[in-house]
Amino acid sequence: LTEMNDLSRDELLHPVDQDRHDGNVCPDDEELHADLCYKKCSKLTGGKYPIRTTAWSCCAEQPCSFFNSKFTSLLAYCSGFDVSGDSEGKECPHAPGSCMENEEYNLGLCYKKCAI
């Protein structure tokens, strides 16, 4: 609660740690794939497989194939490579956009933090 009280009105209304003009509709630690925001493959793989090819796979370089890709289980939803970024709570991938500083992400929507 104290953390939110110390923020100015402008800080509450605009995510301060997001580059709003980078052309990315997802938070900075995420990438857009198939109309959802996922944690960047480069962050998930330590830079070894930076190209996202599916919700469950990342590739080392183009052209992507079975031999230069890394996969996680298709049966494990919202885990492995099928996750949102740290800024959105490492949950399931979500629709484009980012929650504001005074909000938290839950079930596909941003809600005012309970602590406020």
Side-chain angles (χ1 to χ4, degrees), residues 3-91:
E3 178 184 320
M4 291 295 126
N5 287 336
D6 293 339
L7 296 175
S8 70
R9 179 180 184 276
D10 191 50
E11 290 171 323
L12 285 171
L13 293 177
H14 302 290
V16 292
D17 61 340
Q18 302 297 318
D19 182 354
R20 297 160 86 65
H21 305 288
D22 64 356
N24 186 6
V25 296
C26 301
D28 289 340
D29 63 341
E30 296 180 349
E31 59 195 346
L32 186 66
H33 177 76
D35 295 326
L36 291 175
C37 293
Y38 293 86
K39 185 169 183 174
K40 288 182 178 178
C41 278
S42 59
K43 293 189 176 287
L44 289 165
T45 64
K48 293 181 182 178
Y49 300 89
I51 303 166
R52 181 168 293 279
T53 51
T54 72
W56 301 276
S57 64
C58 300
C59 155
E61 60 186 28
Q62 296 282 1
C64 296
S65 71
F66 179 80
F67 301 105
N68 69 349
S69 296
K70 186 163 179 97
F71 303 88
T72 58
S73 176
L74 298 167
L75 302 176
Y77 293 101
C78 304
S79 65
F81 295 157
D82 185 32
V83 293
S84 64
D86 296 341
S87 63
E88 298 296 327
K90 293 190 263 184
E91 296 180 1

Side-chain angles (χ1 to χ4, degrees), residues 88-107:
E88 298 296 327
K90 293 190 263 184
E91 296 180 1
C92 293
H94 60 90
S98 180
C99 296
M100 290 187 264
E101 191 70 30
N102 65 340
E103 298 174 328
E104 56 193 357
Y105 183 79
N106 190 23
L107 300 174

